[in-house]
């Protein structure tokens, strides 16, 4: 089902794991060029966040340091670290797989659709 975590816009997200799964959570994001989480850094109440770029280019700002991930790149960081993300792809969407562990608590800044 589609989920909405908010952010700048230009992001369509899908929950890949069952909504009752508490050990981990996988989310697929399609991010339009320039779309992303917005300028305000955020952190999530989980232990670790893993990101894998399936297609396109993703700019990830972790604690003030910019990292650009290309197709096939993966990155892991403590989610308590403030971060932002955006597609730095010039045309076409950036497709990203996010894995959070443990899963976000129900209703913690996101809504599930469908």
């Amino acid at each position: 089902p589609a989920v909405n975590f908010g952010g700048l816009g230009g992001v369509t997200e899908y929950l890949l794991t069952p909504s009752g799964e508490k050990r981990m959570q996988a989310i697929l994001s399609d991010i339009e060029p320039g779309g992303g989480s917005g300028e305000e850094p955020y952190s999530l109440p989980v232990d670790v966040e893993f990101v894998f770029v399936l297609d396109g280019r993703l700019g990830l700002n972790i604690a003030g340091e910019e990292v650009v991930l290309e197709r096939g790149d993966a990155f892991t960081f403590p989610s308590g670290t403030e971060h932002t993300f955006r597609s730095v792809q010039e045309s076409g969407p950036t497709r990203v797989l996010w894995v959070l562990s443990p899963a976000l608590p129900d209703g913690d800044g996101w809504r599930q659709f469908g």
Side-chain angles (χ1 to χ4, degrees):
V3 292
N4 181 5
F5 285 96
L8 177 68
V11 181
T12 305
E13 297 171 309
Y14 303 94
L15 182 62
L16 301 181
T17 46
S19 60
E21 175 60 66
K22 302 299 180 198
R23 296 168 293 174
M24 55 89 70
Q25 189 169 49
I27 299 156
L28 178 66
S29 295
D30 287 323
I31 311 165
E32 296 301 320
S37 62
E39 297 297 319
E40 187 68 31
Y42 70 97
S43 62
L44 296 174
V46 299
D47 294 335
V48 67
E49 192 165 344
F50 168 82
V51 57
F52 180 72
V53 179
L54 299 165
D55 201 16
R57 298 177 72 225
L58 184 74
L60 192 58
N61 188 300
I62 306 287
E65 290 191 38
E66 184 79 15
V67 176
V68 175
L69 303 175
E70 309 273 341
R71 180 179 181 195
D73 287 345
F75 194 82
T76 303
F77 60 97
S79 287
T81 305
E82 290 200 336
H83 58 284
T84 61
F85 69 88
R86 64 185 168 79
S87 171
V88 294
Q89 184 77 356
E90 290 185 19
S91 64
T94 295
R95 179 167 267 202
V96 177
L97 173 67
W98 305 90
V99 178
L100 311 174
S101 179
L104 287 172
D106 290 339
D108 192 23
W110 63 280
R111 296 189 317 257
Q112 184 172 327
F113 301 100

